[in-house]
Amino acid sequence: MSRSERLLDLIQSLRRHRGPVSGHALADELGISIRTLYRDIATLQGQGAPIEGEAGLGYVLKPGFMLPPLMFSDEEIEAIVLGSRWVAKQPDQRLSAAAANALAKIAAVLPDDLREDLDASTLLVGPQMTAIEGIDLGVVRQAIRHERKLGFLYRDAGGAASQRIVWPFALGFFDKVRVVVAWCEMRQDFRHFRADRISGLDAVDARYPRRRQVLLKEWRATLDKPRVP
């Protein structure tokens, strides 16, 4: 492994740890000596990496740091290209455009050889699915980001309609449908709403009273239970 690759691995390791991590734990994870680790930490700090801490106390990388040029393995490039191409084929036009823009930005900062690998990727995505939902998924995604309530008319599998106020916290993408995962005020429980059965979508100007991450964690604990919207 080259020194540049080792430094990038160290950055990635620090990113994976949300709190301070000891030098010995980092050295063991990277398969290097503690003296080499201390030298690498000092090198990155000298290059401007916001790594806080010191020997005996642990180290933490402040969020938001990027170390250009970006370096990726062959598999990482294939994953980036395949994922971006899949999102670019989705009916959500804003998300589709964002995927194409993100891929272009990544390509712009890659070294020449990796940029060629990005352009030459042979992992392909099938034809774009015809949009079947009649709502703007961008409104749903914005509500999730800002923890805002949504109101809409929902029709179940039997065609029965009901007005709902929900706390959306996740959006599932499947081959033929998109599913809004939310806490339903009417049912006082978690529910899954198919986007193609939603109409009259309205972004309610009210923040729901719980954090998105908490709702997601609690919902995951209930996945083995049957849910009927």
Side-chain angles (χ1 to χ4, degrees):
M1 178 187 297
S2 68
R3 188 163 187 264
S4 61
E5 290 174 324
R6 193 175 71 239
L7 293 176
L8 287 168
D9 285 347
L10 176 54
I11 288 290
Q12 290 301 104
S13 180
L14 285 166
R15 281 192 177 125
R16 288 193 295 269
H17 295 279
R18 295 187 176 181
V21 55
S22 71
H24 286 285
L26 286 170
D28 289 343
E29 183 177 333
L30 298 171
I32 59 178
S33 70
I34 189 66
R35 294 183 64 181
T36 298
L37 177 85
Y38 291 154
R39 287 198 301 269
D40 288 350
I41 290 285
T43 297
L44 289 172
Q45 289 173 328
Q47 293 176 352
I51 300 173
E52 297 181 345
E54 58 185 70
L57 297 178
Y59 297 94
V60 63
L61 177 68
K62 296 177 67 174
F65 174 68
M66 293 293 291
L67 185 64
L70 295 177
M71 300 294 291
F72 297 103
S73 68
D74 291 341
E75 288 77 16
E76 288 169 340
I77 287 178
E78 289 178 341
I80 290 169
V81 173
L82 184 61
S84 298
R85 286 176 176 173
W86 186 85
V87 174
K89 291 289 185 71
Q90 297 306 302
D92 187 332
Q93 294 183 355
R94 279 183 281 182
L95 199 61
S96 173
N101 290 339
L103 195 58
K105 288 180 180 179
I106 291 172
V109 297
L110 284 175
D112 292 341
D113 57 338
L114 292 183
R115 189 182 303 115
E116 291 176 1
D117 290 343
L118 194 76
D119 294 336
S121 175
T122 55
L123 300 183
L124 307 177
V125 177
Q128 181 175 358
M129 296 291 294
T130 302
I132 55 177
E133 56 264 11
I135 62 171
D136 184 354
L137 292 179
V139 174
V140 178
R141 290 188 286 104
Q142 185 174 29
I144 292 173
R145 282 196 301 270
H146 298 291
E147 300 179 340
R148 291 294 192 273
K149 296 182 181 182
L150 287 175
F152 52 76
L153 184 71
Y154 190 72
R155 296 187 181 276
D156 63 20
S162 58
Q163 194 69 38
R164 306 294 182 101
I165 299 293
V166 305
W167 310 349
F169 58 87
L171 184 59
F173 287 79
F174 300 87
D175 286 342
K176 295 183 179 180
V177 297
R178 259 52 65 190
V179 176
V180 180
V181 186
W183 175 268
C184 178
E185 291 189 352
M186 184 178 80
R187 300 297 189 192
Q188 285 295 293
D189 205 350
F190 296 111
R191 288 295 186 267
H192 305 150
F193 300 95
R194 285 179 49 154
D196 58 325
R197 296 176 182 170
I198 293 175
S199 60
L201 182 66
D202 180 39
V204 180
D205 188 20
R207 183 168 185 166
Y208 50 75
R210 304 183 65 192
R211 297 309 305 270
R212 179 180 66 245
Q213 295 89 338
V214 174
L215 292 171
L216 184 62
K217 182 178 179 180
E218 293 180 354
W219 166 74
R220 283 173 172 162
T222 68
L223 289 181
D224 58 337
K225 300 178 182 179
R227 300 290 172 187
V228 180

